[in-house]
PDB file of all heavy atoms in Angstrom:
ATOM      1  N   MET A  21      12.910  29.278  -5.156  1.00 91.00           N
ATOM      2  CA  MET A  21      13.338  28.422  -4.062  1.00 91.00           C
ATOM      3  C   MET A  21      14.259  27.345  -4.633  1.00 91.00           C
ATOM      4  O   MET A  21      14.132  26.926  -5.783  1.00 91.00           O
ATOM      5  CB  MET A  21      12.158  27.713  -3.444  1.00 91.00           C
ATOM      6  CG  MET A  21      12.387  27.089  -2.076  1.00 91.00           C
ATOM      7  SD  MET A  21      11.095  25.916  -1.582  1.00 91.00           S
ATOM      8  CE  MET A  21       9.762  26.976  -1.204  1.00 91.00           C
ATOM      9  N   ARG A  22      15.285  26.932  -3.844  1.00 96.00           N
ATOM     10  CA  ARG A  22      16.160  25.856  -4.283  1.00 96.00           C
ATOM     11  C   ARG A  22      16.255  24.827  -3.198  1.00 96.00           C
ATOM     12  O   ARG A  22      16.259  25.112  -1.996  1.00 96.00           O
ATOM     13  CB  ARG A  22      17.535  26.461  -4.553  1.00 96.00           C
ATOM     14  CG  ARG A  22      18.502  25.435  -4.882  1.00 96.00           C
ATOM     15  CD  ARG A  22      19.748  25.614  -5.669  1.00 96.00           C
ATOM     16  NE  ARG A  22      20.407  24.255  -5.666  1.00 96.00           N
ATOM     17  CZ  ARG A  22      20.153  23.362  -6.576  1.00 96.00           C
ATOM     18  NH1 ARG A  22      19.454  23.598  -7.625  1.00 96.00           N
ATOM     19  NH2 ARG A  22      20.725  22.191  -6.469  1.00 96.00           N
ATOM     20  N   THR A  23      16.246  23.549  -3.590  1.00 97.00           N
ATOM     21  CA  THR A  23      16.413  22.443  -2.665  1.00 97.00           C
ATOM     22  C   THR A  23      17.179  21.351  -3.367  1.00 97.00           C
ATOM     23  O   THR A  23      17.398  21.371  -4.607  1.00 97.00           O
ATOM     24  CB  THR A  23      15.070  21.961  -2.142  1.00 97.00           C
ATOM     25  OG1 THR A  23      15.296  21.017  -1.079  1.00 97.00           O
ATOM     26  CG2 THR A  23      14.251  21.263  -3.255  1.00 97.00           C
ATOM     27  N   LYS A  24      17.642  20.353  -2.573  1.00 98.00           N
ATOM     28  CA  LYS A  24      18.342  19.247  -3.260  1.00 98.00           C
ATOM     29  C   LYS A  24      17.359  18.288  -3.864  1.00 98.00           C
ATOM     30  O   LYS A  24      17.485  17.928  -5.024  1.00 98.00           O
ATOM     31  CB  LYS A  24      19.246  18.523  -2.237  1.00 98.00           C
ATOM     32  CG  LYS A  24      20.532  19.333  -1.928  1.00 98.00           C
ATOM     33  CD  LYS A  24      21.433  18.557  -1.007  1.00 98.00           C
ATOM     34  CE  LYS A  24      22.784  19.313  -0.939  1.00 98.00           C
ATOM     35  NZ  LYS A  24      23.524  18.952   0.241  1.00 98.00           N
ATOM     36  N   VAL A  25      16.354  17.900  -3.119  1.00 98.00           N
ATOM     37  CA  VAL A  25      15.409  16.928  -3.615  1.00 98.00           C
ATOM     38  C   VAL A  25      14.005  17.501  -3.491  1.00 98.00           C
ATOM     39  O   VAL A  25      13.551  17.783  -2.325  1.00 98.00           O
ATOM     40  CB  VAL A  25      15.491  15.550  -2.911  1.00 98.00           C
ATOM     41  CG1 VAL A  25      14.467  14.554  -3.510  1.00 98.00           C
ATOM     42  CG2 VAL A  25      16.929  15.013  -2.980  1.00 98.00           C
ATOM     43  N   ALA A  26      13.294  17.641  -4.593  1.00 98.00           N
ATOM     44  CA  ALA A  26      11.896  18.117  -4.546  1.00 98.00           C
ATOM     45  C   ALA A  26      11.026  16.873  -4.651  1.00 98.00           C
ATOM     46  O   ALA A  26      11.153  16.112  -5.604  1.00 98.00           O
ATOM     47  CB  ALA A  26      11.658  19.082  -5.691  1.00 98.00           C
ATOM     48  N   ILE A  27      10.169  16.731  -3.669  1.00 98.00           N
ATOM     49  CA  ILE A  27       9.319  15.517  -3.596  1.00 98.00           C
ATOM     50  C   ILE A  27       7.877  15.914  -3.953  1.00 98.00           C
ATOM     51  O   ILE A  27       7.321  16.879  -3.366  1.00 98.00           O
ATOM     52  CB  ILE A  27       9.311  14.922  -2.159  1.00 98.00           C
ATOM     53  CG1 ILE A  27      10.790  14.565  -1.791  1.00 98.00           C
ATOM     54  CG2 ILE A  27       8.418  13.704  -2.046  1.00 98.00           C
ATOM     55  CD1 ILE A  27      10.954  14.135  -0.347  1.00 98.00           C
ATOM     56  N   LEU A  37      10.305   9.268   2.588  1.00 98.00           N
ATOM     57  CA  LEU A  37      11.532   9.671   1.832  1.00 98.00           C
ATOM     58  C   LEU A  37      12.064  10.952   2.409  1.00 98.00           C
ATOM     59  O   LEU A  37      13.246  11.136   2.627  1.00 98.00           O
ATOM     60  CB  LEU A  37      11.195   9.817   0.343  1.00 98.00           C
ATOM     61  CG  LEU A  37      12.391  10.329  -0.508  1.00 98.00           C
ATOM     62  CD1 LEU A  37      13.474   9.326  -0.562  1.00 98.00           C
ATOM     63  CD2 LEU A  37      11.860  10.622  -1.963  1.00 98.00           C
ATOM     64  N   GLY A  38      11.153  11.935   2.646  1.00 98.00           N
ATOM     65  CA  GLY A  38      11.589  13.219   3.148  1.00 98.00           C
ATOM     66  C   GLY A  38      12.313  13.081   4.523  1.00 98.00           C
ATOM     67  O   GLY A  38      13.345  13.730   4.716  1.00 98.00           O
ATOM     68  N   LEU A  40      13.830  10.339   5.714  1.00 98.00           N
ATOM     69  CA  LEU A  40      15.078   9.609   5.555  1.00 98.00           C
ATOM     70  C   LEU A  40      16.151  10.548   5.038  1.00 98.00           C
ATOM     71  O   LEU A  40      17.258  10.599   5.538  1.00 98.00           O
ATOM     72  CB  LEU A  40      14.914   8.382   4.590  1.00 98.00           C
ATOM     73  CG  LEU A  40      14.091   7.187   5.192  1.00 98.00           C
ATOM     74  CD1 LEU A  40      13.673   6.255   4.082  1.00 98.00           C
ATOM     75  CD2 LEU A  40      14.951   6.469   6.240  1.00 98.00           C
ATOM     76  N   LEU A  41      15.770  11.369   4.032  1.00 98.00           N
ATOM     77  CA  LEU A  41      16.719  12.331   3.465  1.00 98.00           C
ATOM     78  C   LEU A  41      17.204  13.325   4.520  1.00 98.00           C
ATOM     79  O   LEU A  41      18.366  13.654   4.656  1.00 98.00           O
ATOM     80  CB  LEU A  41      16.106  13.069   2.272  1.00 98.00           C
ATOM     81  CG  LEU A  41      15.823  12.194   1.029  1.00 98.00           C
ATOM     82  CD1 LEU A  41      15.177  13.052  -0.056  1.00 98.00           C
ATOM     83  CD2 LEU A  41      17.123  11.540   0.474  1.00 98.00           C
ATOM     84  N   HIS A  42      16.242  13.765   5.345  1.00 98.00           N
ATOM     85  CA  HIS A  42      16.560  14.724   6.423  1.00 98.00           C
ATOM     86  C   HIS A  42      17.608  14.044   7.350  1.00 98.00           C
ATOM     87  O   HIS A  42      18.597  14.692   7.748  1.00 98.00           O
ATOM     88  CB  HIS A  42      15.303  15.092   7.192  1.00 98.00           C
ATOM     89  CG  HIS A  42      15.569  15.906   8.375  1.00 98.00           C
ATOM     90  ND1 HIS A  42      16.119  17.163   8.397  1.00 98.00           N
ATOM     91  CD2 HIS A  42      15.427  15.555   9.710  1.00 98.00           C
ATOM     92  CE1 HIS A  42      16.238  17.630   9.584  1.00 98.00           C
ATOM     93  NE2 HIS A  42      15.813  16.667  10.453  1.00 98.00           N
ATOM     94  N   ASN A  43      17.347  12.784   7.681  1.00 97.00           N
ATOM     95  CA  ASN A  43      18.312  12.044   8.553  1.00 97.00           C
ATOM     96  C   ASN A  43      19.677  12.032   7.953  1.00 97.00           C
ATOM     97  O   ASN A  43      20.707  12.043   8.697  1.00 97.00           O
ATOM     98  CB  ASN A  43      17.891  10.576   8.678  1.00 97.00           C
ATOM     99  CG  ASN A  43      17.051  10.369   9.935  1.00 97.00           C
ATOM    100  OD1 ASN A  43      16.568  11.308  10.546  1.00 97.00           O
ATOM    101  ND2 ASN A  43      16.820   9.103  10.289  1.00 97.00           N
ATOM    102  N   TYR A  44      19.776  12.006   6.650  1.00 97.00           N
ATOM    103  CA  TYR A  44      21.077  11.921   5.989  1.00 97.00           C
ATOM    104  C   TYR A  44      21.617  13.329   5.666  1.00 97.00           C
ATOM    105  O   TYR A  44      22.569  13.471   4.896  1.00 97.00           O
ATOM    106  CB  TYR A  44      20.965  11.111   4.652  1.00 97.00           C
ATOM    107  CG  TYR A  44      20.413   9.716   4.815  1.00 97.00           C
ATOM    108  CD1 TYR A  44      19.754   9.048   3.753  1.00 97.00           C
ATOM    109  CD2 TYR A  44      20.607   8.988   6.004  1.00 97.00           C
ATOM    110  CE1 TYR A  44      19.240   7.803   3.941  1.00 97.00           C
ATOM    111  CE2 TYR A  44      20.102   7.690   6.156  1.00 97.00           C
ATOM    112  CZ  TYR A  44      19.443   7.103   5.117  1.00 97.00           C
ATOM    113  OH  TYR A  44      18.938   5.837   5.216  1.00 97.00           O
ATOM    114  N   GLY A  45      20.935  14.306   6.138  1.00 97.00           N
ATOM    115  CA  GLY A  45      21.401  15.694   5.934  1.00 97.00           C
ATOM    116  C   GLY A  45      21.130  16.261   4.527  1.00 97.00           C
ATOM    117  O   GLY A  45      21.816  17.156   4.063  1.00 97.00           O
ATOM    118  N   ILE A  46      20.110  15.679   3.846  1.00 98.00           N
ATOM    119  CA  ILE A  46      19.831  16.144   2.456  1.00 98.00           C
ATOM    120  C   ILE A  46      18.528  16.947   2.526  1.00 98.00           C
ATOM    121  O   ILE A  46      17.476  16.469   2.868  1.00 98.00           O
ATOM    122  CB  ILE A  46      19.643  14.899   1.538  1.00 98.00           C
ATOM    123  CG1 ILE A  46      20.932  14.051   1.560  1.00 98.00           C
ATOM    124  CG2 ILE A  46      19.287  15.358   0.113  1.00 98.00           C
ATOM    125  CD1 ILE A  46      20.791  12.715   0.882  1.00 98.00           C
ATOM    126  N   ASP A  47      18.627  18.245   2.178  1.00 96.00           N
ATOM    127  CA  ASP A  47      17.418  19.075   2.323  1.00 96.00           C
ATOM    128  C   ASP A  47      16.416  18.748   1.162  1.00 96.00           C
ATOM    129  O   ASP A  47      16.780  18.399   0.068  1.00 96.00           O
ATOM    130  CB  ASP A  47      17.767  20.543   2.449  1.00 96.00           C
ATOM    131  CG  ASP A  47      18.398  21.135   1.229  1.00 96.00           C
ATOM    132  OD1 ASP A  47      19.576  20.935   1.059  1.00 96.00           O
ATOM    133  OD2 ASP A  47      17.646  21.721   0.392  1.00 96.00           O
ATOM    134  N   ASN A  48      15.152  18.885   1.552  1.00 98.00           N
ATOM    135  CA  ASN A  48      14.084  18.496   0.605  1.00 98.00           C
ATOM    136  C   ASN A  48      12.868  19.276   0.864  1.00 98.00           C
ATOM    137  O   ASN A  48      12.649  19.792   1.981  1.00 98.00           O
ATOM    138  CB  ASN A  48      13.835  16.959   0.684  1.00 98.00           C
ATOM    139  CG  ASN A  48      13.372  16.580   2.093  1.00 98.00           C
ATOM    140  OD1 ASN A  48      12.151  16.611   2.416  1.00 98.00           O
ATOM    141  ND2 ASN A  48      14.278  16.179   2.959  1.00 98.00           N
ATOM    142  N   VAL A  49      12.017  19.420  -0.173  1.00 98.00           N
ATOM    143  CA  VAL A  49      10.721  20.097  -0.002  1.00 98.00           C
ATOM    144  C   VAL A  49       9.654  19.158  -0.529  1.00 98.00           C
ATOM    145  O   VAL A  49       9.870  18.425  -1.491  1.00 98.00           O
ATOM    146  CB  VAL A  49      10.708  21.396  -0.888  1.00 98.00           C
ATOM    147  CG1 VAL A  49       9.348  22.016  -0.927  1.00 98.00           C
ATOM    148  CG2 VAL A  49      11.717  22.403  -0.405  1.00 98.00           C
ATOM    149  N   ILE A  50       8.520  19.112   0.105  1.00 98.00           N
ATOM    150  CA  ILE A  50       7.415  18.296  -0.367  1.00 98.00           C
ATOM    151  C   ILE A  50       6.284  19.207  -0.872  1.00 98.00           C
ATOM    152  O   ILE A  50       5.859  20.148  -0.186  1.00 98.00           O
ATOM    153  CB  ILE A  50       6.838  17.345   0.744  1.00 98.00           C
ATOM    154  CG1 ILE A  50       7.915  16.400   1.229  1.00 98.00           C
ATOM    155  CG2 ILE A  50       5.591  16.617   0.259  1.00 98.00           C
ATOM    156  CD1 ILE A  50       7.385  15.328   2.231  1.00 98.00           C
ATOM    157  N   ARG A 132       7.913  15.488  10.552  1.00 97.00           N
ATOM    158  CA  ARG A 132       8.378  16.490   9.594  1.00 97.00           C
ATOM    159  C   ARG A 132       8.190  17.921  10.196  1.00 97.00           C
ATOM    160  O   ARG A 132       9.041  18.746  10.059  1.00 97.00           O
ATOM    161  CB  ARG A 132       7.598  16.358   8.323  1.00 97.00           C
ATOM    162  CG  ARG A 132       8.121  17.184   7.156  1.00 97.00           C
ATOM    163  CD  ARG A 132       7.621  16.818   5.809  1.00 97.00           C
ATOM    164  NE  ARG A 132       8.227  17.710   4.795  1.00 97.00           N
ATOM    165  CZ  ARG A 132       9.374  17.499   4.246  1.00 97.00           C
ATOM    166  NH1 ARG A 132      10.063  16.421   4.470  1.00 97.00           N
ATOM    167  NH2 ARG A 132       9.898  18.384   3.410  1.00 97.00           N
ATOM    168  N   LEU A 137      10.776  20.939   8.658  1.00 94.00           N
ATOM    169  CA  LEU A 137      11.019  20.771   7.275  1.00 94.00           C
ATOM    170  C   LEU A 137       9.883  21.384   6.411  1.00 94.00           C
ATOM    171  O   LEU A 137       8.715  21.488   6.872  1.00 94.00           O
ATOM    172  CB  LEU A 137      11.131  19.280   6.859  1.00 94.00           C
ATOM    173  CG  LEU A 137      12.239  18.585   7.643  1.00 94.00           C
ATOM    174  CD1 LEU A 137      12.313  17.128   7.281  1.00 94.00           C
ATOM    175  CD2 LEU A 137      13.607  19.265   7.409  1.00 94.00           C
ATOM    176  N   SER A 138      10.208  21.724   5.175  1.00 89.00           N
ATOM    177  CA  SER A 138       9.292  22.526   4.368  1.00 89.00           C
ATOM    178  C   SER A 138       8.317  21.630   3.553  1.00 89.00           C
ATOM    179  O   SER A 138       8.752  20.724   2.826  1.00 89.00           O
ATOM    180  CB  SER A 138      10.168  23.376   3.455  1.00 89.00           C
ATOM    181  OG  SER A 138       9.417  24.112   2.622  1.00 89.00           O
ATOM    182  N   ILE A 169      10.634  25.836  -8.118  1.00 97.00           N
ATOM    183  CA  ILE A 169      11.693  25.266  -7.226  1.00 97.00           C
ATOM    184  C   ILE A 169      12.725  24.627  -8.194  1.00 97.00           C
ATOM    185  O   ILE A 169      12.417  23.775  -8.987  1.00 97.00           O
ATOM    186  CB  ILE A 169      11.146  24.108  -6.348  1.00 97.00           C
ATOM    187  CG1 ILE A 169       9.992  24.651  -5.467  1.00 97.00           C
ATOM    188  CG2 ILE A 169      12.261  23.546  -5.475  1.00 97.00           C
ATOM    189  CD1 ILE A 169       9.409  23.606  -4.510  1.00 97.00           C
ATOM    190  N   SER A 170      13.982  25.059  -8.017  1.00 98.00           N
ATOM    191  CA  SER A 170      15.044  24.359  -8.797  1.00 98.00           C
ATOM    192  C   SER A 170      15.675  23.354  -7.815  1.00 98.00           C
ATOM    193  O   SER A 170      15.735  23.563  -6.587  1.00 98.00           O
ATOM    194  CB  SER A 170      16.037  25.334  -9.367  1.00 98.00           C
ATOM    195  OG  SER A 170      16.633  26.042  -8.339  1.00 98.00           O
ATOM    196  N   CYS A 171      16.102  22.251  -8.335  1.00 98.00           N
ATOM    197  CA  CYS A 171      16.577  21.165  -7.508  1.00 98.00           C
ATOM    198  C   CYS A 171      17.611  20.269  -8.236  1.00 98.00           C
ATOM    199  O   CYS A 171      17.796  20.463  -9.429  1.00 98.00           O
ATOM    200  CB  CYS A 171      15.380  20.297  -7.077  1.00 98.00           C
ATOM    201  SG  CYS A 171      14.401  19.694  -8.449  1.00 98.00           S
ATOM    202  N   ASP A 172      18.176  19.337  -7.446  1.00 98.00           N
ATOM    203  CA  ASP A 172      19.115  18.412  -8.098  1.00 98.00           C
ATOM    204  C   ASP A 172      18.288  17.213  -8.602  1.00 98.00           C
ATOM    205  O   ASP A 172      18.632  16.620  -9.651  1.00 98.00           O
ATOM    206  CB  ASP A 172      20.128  17.884  -7.027  1.00 98.00           C
ATOM    207  CG  ASP A 172      21.007  18.987  -6.545  1.00 98.00           C
ATOM    208  OD1 ASP A 172      21.132  19.972  -7.204  1.00 98.00           O
ATOM    209  OD2 ASP A 172      21.555  18.773  -5.404  1.00 98.00           O
ATOM    210  N   PHE A 173      17.301  16.772  -7.877  1.00 98.00           N
ATOM    211  CA  PHE A 173      16.534  15.619  -8.197  1.00 98.00           C
ATOM    212  C   PHE A 173      15.063  15.830  -7.847  1.00 98.00           C
ATOM    213  O   PHE A 173      14.720  16.585  -6.966  1.00 98.00           O
ATOM    214  CB  PHE A 173      17.006  14.378  -7.412  1.00 98.00           C
ATOM    215  CG  PHE A 173      18.436  14.022  -7.648  1.00 98.00           C
ATOM    216  CD1 PHE A 173      19.440  14.385  -6.752  1.00 98.00           C
ATOM    217  CD2 PHE A 173      18.802  13.369  -8.836  1.00 98.00           C
ATOM    218  CE1 PHE A 173      20.777  14.076  -7.004  1.00 98.00           C
ATOM    219  CE2 PHE A 173      20.146  13.045  -9.064  1.00 98.00           C
ATOM    220  CZ  PHE A 173      21.134  13.405  -8.191  1.00 98.00           C
ATOM    221  N   LEU A 332      20.433   8.308  -2.877  1.00 98.00           N
ATOM    222  CA  LEU A 332      20.711   9.741  -2.837  1.00 98.00           C
ATOM    223  C   LEU A 332      21.794  10.067  -1.808  1.00 98.00           C
ATOM    224  O   LEU A 332      22.664  10.931  -2.032  1.00 98.00           O
ATOM    225  CB  LEU A 332      19.441  10.508  -2.534  1.00 98.00           C
ATOM    226  CG  LEU A 332      18.399  10.535  -3.691  1.00 98.00           C
ATOM    227  CD1 LEU A 332      17.016  10.953  -3.237  1.00 98.00           C
ATOM    228  CD2 LEU A 332      18.899  11.459  -4.823  1.00 98.00           C
ATOM    229  N   TYR A 336      25.372  12.042  -2.562  1.00 97.00           N
ATOM    230  CA  TYR A 336      25.933  13.232  -1.928  1.00 97.00           C
ATOM    231  C   TYR A 336      27.145  12.952  -1.062  1.00 97.00           C
ATOM    232  O   TYR A 336      28.087  13.708  -1.091  1.00 97.00           O
ATOM    233  CB  TYR A 336      24.813  13.896  -1.052  1.00 97.00           C
ATOM    234  CG  TYR A 336      23.748  14.579  -1.935  1.00 97.00           C
ATOM    235  CD1 TYR A 336      22.467  14.060  -2.080  1.00 97.00           C
ATOM    236  CD2 TYR A 336      24.068  15.760  -2.594  1.00 97.00           C
ATOM    237  CE1 TYR A 336      21.527  14.662  -2.866  1.00 97.00           C
ATOM    238  CE2 TYR A 336      23.139  16.394  -3.427  1.00 97.00           C
ATOM    239  CZ  TYR A 336      21.877  15.855  -3.537  1.00 97.00           C
ATOM    240  OH  TYR A 336      20.931  16.454  -4.331  1.00 97.00           O
TER     241      TYR A 336
END
Side-chain angles (χ1 to χ4, degrees):
M21 196 195 288
R22 174 157 178 92
T23 188
K24 284 185 171 158
V25 182
I27 301 171
L37 177 66
L40 288 166
L41 292 178
H42 172 67
N43 266 14
Y44 303 153
I46 302 169
D47 65 278
N48 61 87
V49 173
I50 297 184
R132 190 166 180 87
L137 303 179
S138 178
I169 302 180
S170 61
C171 54
D172 297 338
F173 299 101
L332 288 164
Y336 286 108

